[in-house]
Amino acid sequence: MPSVLVVEDDPSIRQSLIEVLTEHGYAVRSAADGFGALREVTQTPVDAVVLDLGLPDLDGGDALRMIRGISSVPVLVATARDDESEIIKILNAGADDYLVKPFSGGQLVARLSAVLRRTSHVPPAGAAAGSPVAAAAEPLRATVVGELAVDPGARTAYLAGRELRLTRREFDLLAFLAHHSGQVVSKRRLLTEVWREPYVDDQTVDVHLSSLRRKLGERAAAPRYLLTVRGVGIKLVAPR
């Protein structure tokens, strides 16, 4: 059974899409905003995404680019925006197809089936057993913490849709903390596992953390993502 993530902020439309796709044999998950979609894509692989562009937290185009930064999952954009230049821009940004609202359930299912045939080895819902197509490539593993998305495979990090310009060591440090988000990590462990130099002075970590904080738009006195636990270490958390 192919799985689909529906990203739609309107509850009634979202429920209608879920019902149509479920009736046609898809396993459906859903998200109401862009960062919810990113969390779903990174935590559990899906075979396709149906993405609205009018999201409350991120423009759908930015959400698409962030998804593309961490996954090759097929994306069908389903939106009310019908401007030709917008359609071209979204397709060039990595969408696999574009469907303009309003549309019928039958049209959605047909477009989604076509996208799966073209872009993956996952048979569309209802395809006969023994079809020559097999499972789609699993998305790269990434971590989403609040509005921060970190992809170790692509070595990219985005904050609120904006790519962060990080040095190699800054990225390694951020990726390690993101992988252990919510956990307090000692400076000694960072030196051992990120620097792989356990006998370097702790100030090395402090310097890089200070630089990383600036790029995350915060200060040690007013942290958002990087919280210092005095006498213990540092932890990466989602801002409250």
Side-chain angles (χ1 to χ4, degrees):
M1 179 183 294
S3 59
V4 178
L5 173 63
V6 171
V7 187
E8 168 64 61
D9 67 315
D10 186 300
S12 61
I13 296 177
R14 185 170 65 248
Q15 186 58 37
S16 295
L17 296 178
I18 291 172
E19 290 175 0
V20 166
L21 293 171
T22 300
E23 288 172 1
H24 284 80
Y26 290 92
V28 185
R29 302 209 311 274
S30 67
D33 55 40
F35 282 103
L38 287 168
R39 282 190 289 272
E40 288 286 340
V41 169
T42 57
Q43 289 173 3
T44 307
V46 291
D47 298 318
V49 175
V50 176
L51 176 67
D52 180 33
L53 295 182
L55 301 175
D57 58 343
L58 283 175
D59 179 78
D62 292 332
L64 171 64
R65 281 183 281 274
M66 292 175 73
I67 289 172
R68 275 290 161 264
I70 60 176
S71 173
S72 60
V73 62
V75 178
L76 169 61
V77 170
T79 181
R81 300 181 192 176
D82 59 358
D83 181 73
E84 182 178 0
S85 62
E86 176 78 2
I87 295 173
I88 292 171
K89 181 175 74 173
I90 293 299
L91 291 172
N92 286 336
D96 296 282
D97 202 351
Y98 196 106
L99 190 56
V100 177
K101 297 175 181 177
F103 49 79
S104 67
Q107 187 177 6
L108 170 65
V109 171
R111 290 290 190 94
L112 187 57
S113 295
V115 165
L116 286 171
R117 286 196 302 271
R118 290 197 309 268
T119 62
S120 75
H121 297 298
V122 175
S131 169
V133 276
E138 185 173 315
L140 294 174
R141 294 181 179 178
T143 304
V144 177
V145 182
E147 294 184 318
L148 178 66
V150 183
D151 178 16
R155 293 190 67 81
T156 56
Y158 290 84
L159 179 63
R162 176 180 61 86
E163 185 170 4
L164 298 175
R165 302 292 182 181
L166 304 175
T167 66
R168 179 179 66 85
R169 190 69 77 189
E170 287 168 354
F171 181 85
D172 291 343
L173 176 59
L174 181 62
F176 186 84
L177 291 171
H179 181 70
H180 297 87
S181 61
Q183 303 176 26
V184 180
V185 181
S186 70
K187 293 179 184 178
R188 185 58 52 192
R189 184 179 178 190
L190 290 173
L191 286 169
T192 301
E193 300 197 36
V194 177
W195 273 261
R196 301 188 182 280
E197 299 173 8
Y199 302 108
V200 176
D201 195 287
D202 287 0
Q203 189 175 1
T204 300
V205 177
D206 293 332
V207 170
H208 284 80
L209 284 173
S210 178
S211 177
L212 196 53
R213 278 197 170 99
R214 287 197 300 272
K215 294 181 180 182
L216 291 173
E218 63 181 60
R219 296 176 294 112
R224 298 180 64 243
Y225 285 93
L226 297 173
L227 301 185
T228 298
V229 179
R230 191 175 299 276
V232 183
I234 191 87
K235 67 177 176 178
L236 182 73
V237 298
R240 295 182 179 179

